[in-house]
């Protein structure tokens, strides 16, 4: 069928673009083949990741780092099928507000403002001076369900309501510990510079590395300070440099297996600090790790039609490849040909 994807739409590289491509190829066997391959790959990787994460959690429980009897609050499932990221974000905020209102006991003297998360004491005469109450919203779900896009939309919507919002990820904490572990290996007298996980990731060393990480307000903003083994830096300033250096990147999976519990507790503490300071924290991640952050606002994004996971990923790959292949201002015919070439190439790569 003729392509109706304009250069403007292709350049957006967003959910609207992927939806247009999925619709364009709805009768295409080649696209269905690619989407099926992508979907199977995503589900397999998610299962492998879940197994590795659970192994790390079990290690943390065995070490006594986290409570083996810990039970998180319930999750609310949201089917994102047919919804835009903005609709999903609004649904989450609506449900969170309704949940909070339902927990307000009659006669408690607490009334809800119309803006999510802002509660004031009815009987207090200093309500105008009261610090805004923080909130923590957890978003989970399989890859391809739109977690990242939804978090971005939540942040935008909340900031429009004059909220202070922080998006938290455990990734930089894992990278910080890996940097410390790699630096420790380099400092050993008998070291040849290579990374030795057995020596670096002992219980004593990990406890020492964690003591070298401090979360708090530095230079007027919340940040993580890395100080030890000759290092003195802030995560926000090195997250795209030192924390992405080869010696960190290649050793993160190994270190993460040993440090799930430590990172979980560090994150929970940091998030509580921001929550107490009236900040709304958006936490996206795998259920195995975000379970340990206390909050009643937990949401799992799901797709009742799981084939869409593969279709979305296939569309994302195709639109990125095609945008690189066409010039600025290309018409729909040129874009259509570029899309077909990209599809043919990707299908050829998966066929035996």
């Amino acid at each position: 069928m003729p392509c109706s994807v304009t250069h403007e739409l292709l350049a957006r590289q967003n959910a609207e673009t992927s939806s247009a491509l999925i619709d364009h190829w709805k009768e295409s066997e080649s696209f269905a083949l690619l989407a099926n391959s992508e979907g199977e790959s995503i589900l397999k990787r998610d299962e492998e990741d879940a197994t590795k994460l659970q192994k790390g959690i079990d290690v943390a429980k065995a070490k006594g780092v986290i409570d083996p009897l810990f039970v998180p609050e319930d999750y609310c499932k949201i089917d994102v099928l047919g919804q835009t990221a903005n609709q999903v974000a609004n649904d989450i905020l609506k449900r969170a507000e309704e949940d909070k209102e339902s927990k307000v006991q009659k006669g408690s003297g607490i009334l809800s403002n119309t803006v999510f998360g802002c509660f004031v004491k009815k009987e207090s005469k200093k309500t105008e001076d009261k610090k805004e109450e923080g909130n923590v919203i957890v978003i989970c779900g399989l890859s391809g369900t739109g977690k990242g896009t939804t978090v971005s939309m939540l942040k935008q919507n909340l900031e429009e309501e004059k909220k202070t919002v922080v998006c938290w990820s455990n990734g930089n904490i894992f990278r910080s510990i890996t940097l410390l572990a790699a630096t420790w290996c380099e400092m050993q007298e008998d070291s040849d510079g290579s990374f030795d996980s057995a020596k670096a990731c002992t219980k004593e060393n990990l406890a020492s590395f964690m003591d070298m990480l401090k979360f708090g307000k530095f230079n007027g903003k919340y940040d993580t300070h890395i100080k030890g083994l000759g290092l003195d830096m802030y995560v926000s300033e090195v997250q795209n440099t030192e924390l992405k250096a080869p010696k960190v990147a290649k050793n993160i999976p190994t270190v993460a297996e040993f440090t799930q519990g430590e990172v979980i507790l560090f994150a929970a503490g940091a998030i509580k600090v921001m929550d107490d300071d009236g900040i709304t924290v958006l936490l996206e991640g795998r259920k195995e790790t975000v379970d340990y952050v206390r909050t009643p606002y937990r949401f799992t994004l799901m797709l009742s039609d799981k084939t869409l996971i593969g279709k979305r990923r296939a569309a994302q790959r195709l639109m990125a490849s095609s945008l690189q292949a066409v010039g600025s201002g290309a018409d729909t015919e040129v874009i259509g040909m570029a899309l077909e070439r990209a599809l043919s190439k990707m299908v050829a790569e998966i066929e035996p």
Side-chain angles (χ1 to χ4, degrees):
M1 62 178 291
C3 178
S4 60
V5 178
T6 64
H7 187 273
E8 179 185 2
L9 178 57
L10 183 64
R12 290 176 194 163
Q13 297 284 295
N14 60 10
E16 188 179 353
T17 313
S18 60
S19 295
L21 295 190
I22 291 171
D23 183 65
H24 173 68
W25 276 309
K26 60 186 176 184
E27 303 295 336
S28 170
E29 293 183 2
S30 293
F31 181 74
L33 181 63
L34 178 62
N36 183 63
S37 174
E38 291 292 326
E40 289 180 350
S41 176
I42 289 171
L43 292 175
K44 180 181 179 181
R45 186 173 64 250
D46 275 358
E47 290 175 358
E48 291 174 348
D49 288 347
T51 299
K52 291 177 182 177
L53 283 173
Q54 189 57 54
K55 183 178 179 180
I57 296 295
D58 292 340
V59 168
K61 289 179 179 179
K63 292 191 299 183
V65 176
I66 56 178
D67 183 0
L69 301 179
F70 182 92
V71 178
E73 297 86 347
D74 291 335
Y75 284 81
C76 175
K77 292 183 178 179
I78 295 182
D79 189 354
V80 301
L81 182 64
Q83 296 194 73
T84 65
N86 190 45
Q87 288 172 325
V88 175
N90 286 333
D91 189 14
I92 287 172
L93 293 179
K94 179 182 177 182
R95 293 183 190 221
E97 178 69 20
E98 289 174 347
D99 180 72
K100 180 166 278 190
E101 288 179 349
S102 70
K103 293 176 180 177
V104 177
Q105 298 297 319
K106 186 177 180 180
S108 65
I110 300 178
L111 298 176
S112 169
N113 274 351
T114 55
V115 180
F116 164 73
C118 184
F119 280 70
V120 295
K121 292 284 186 180
K122 180 179 179 182
E123 69 273 19
S124 173
K125 295 181 180 180
K126 299 181 180 180
T127 53
E128 293 182 0
D129 298 326
K130 183 179 183 297
K131 180 183 289 186
E132 181 178 301
E133 182 180 330
N135 293 281
V136 180
I137 303 177
V138 168
I139 307 293
C140 295
L142 293 174
S143 298
T145 52
K147 298 187 299 297
T149 308
T150 299
V151 167
S152 296
M153 191 58 65
L154 278 169
K155 185 174 189 293
Q156 178 181 316
N157 290 353
L158 287 166
E159 287 178 338
E160 288 176 356
E161 298 290 354
K162 308 303 180 185
K163 300 292 178 183
T164 302
V165 184
V166 170
C167 296
W168 177 271
S169 171
N170 289 345
N172 281 335
I173 306 305
F174 282 117
R175 292 184 183 93
S176 298
I177 300 171
T178 304
L179 175 62
L180 288 165
T183 302
W184 181 90
C185 288
E186 293 170 349
M187 295 174 66
Q188 303 312 297
E189 291 184 2
D190 59 346
S191 172
D192 60 0
S194 60
F195 188 83
D196 189 333
S197 62
K199 292 182 179 179
C201 297
T202 63
K203 184 176 181 179
E204 293 74 22
N205 274 356
L206 292 179
S208 176
F209 298 155
M210 294 309 300
D211 284 340
M212 297 174 192
L213 300 180
K214 301 296 181 186
F215 180 83
K217 261 188 180 175
F218 304 101
N219 303 317
K221 64 180 180 180
Y222 281 112
D223 206 340
T224 299
H225 188 195
I226 306 171
K227 188 172 184 179
L229 302 179
L231 303 175
D232 189 355
M233 56 188 67
Y234 296 98
V235 165
S236 67
E237 297 174 359
V238 297
Q239 59 185 348
N240 293 318
T241 52
E242 280 88 346
L243 293 187
K244 289 191 176 177
K247 69 178 181 181
V248 173
K250 67 182 180 181
N251 292 310
I252 283 179
T254 301
V255 173
E257 183 177 324
F258 290 97
T259 58
Q260 287 292 340
E262 286 82 359
V263 171
I264 284 170
L265 294 184
F266 185 91
I271 289 169
K272 186 178 187 305
V273 168
M274 292 186 284
D275 183 20
D276 290 345
D277 197 28
I279 294 173
T280 296
V281 182
L282 303 179
L283 176 60
E284 173 201 346
R286 297 300 301 255
K287 182 178 182 298
E288 291 84 355
T289 57
V290 298
D291 272 355
Y292 294 86
V293 174
R294 281 295 184 195
T295 176
Y297 309 118
R298 301 178 178 276
F299 300 90
T300 300
L301 305 189
M302 55 170 287
L303 272 168
S304 52
D305 180 3
K306 289 188 177 181
T307 64
L308 272 178
I309 293 176
K311 289 177 181 177
R312 284 181 172 181
R313 184 56 55 87
Q316 289 167 355
R317 289 188 61 200
L318 288 163
M319 67 192 191
S321 176
S322 300
L323 182 62
Q324 292 179 342
V326 300
S328 177
D331 60 27
T332 56
E333 183 178 356
V334 172
I335 290 172
M337 290 189 291
L339 286 168
E340 290 301 329
R341 285 195 298 271
L343 177 59
S344 297
K345 180 181 179 181
M346 292 181 190
V347 169
E349 291 172 350
I350 62 173
E351 288 183 328

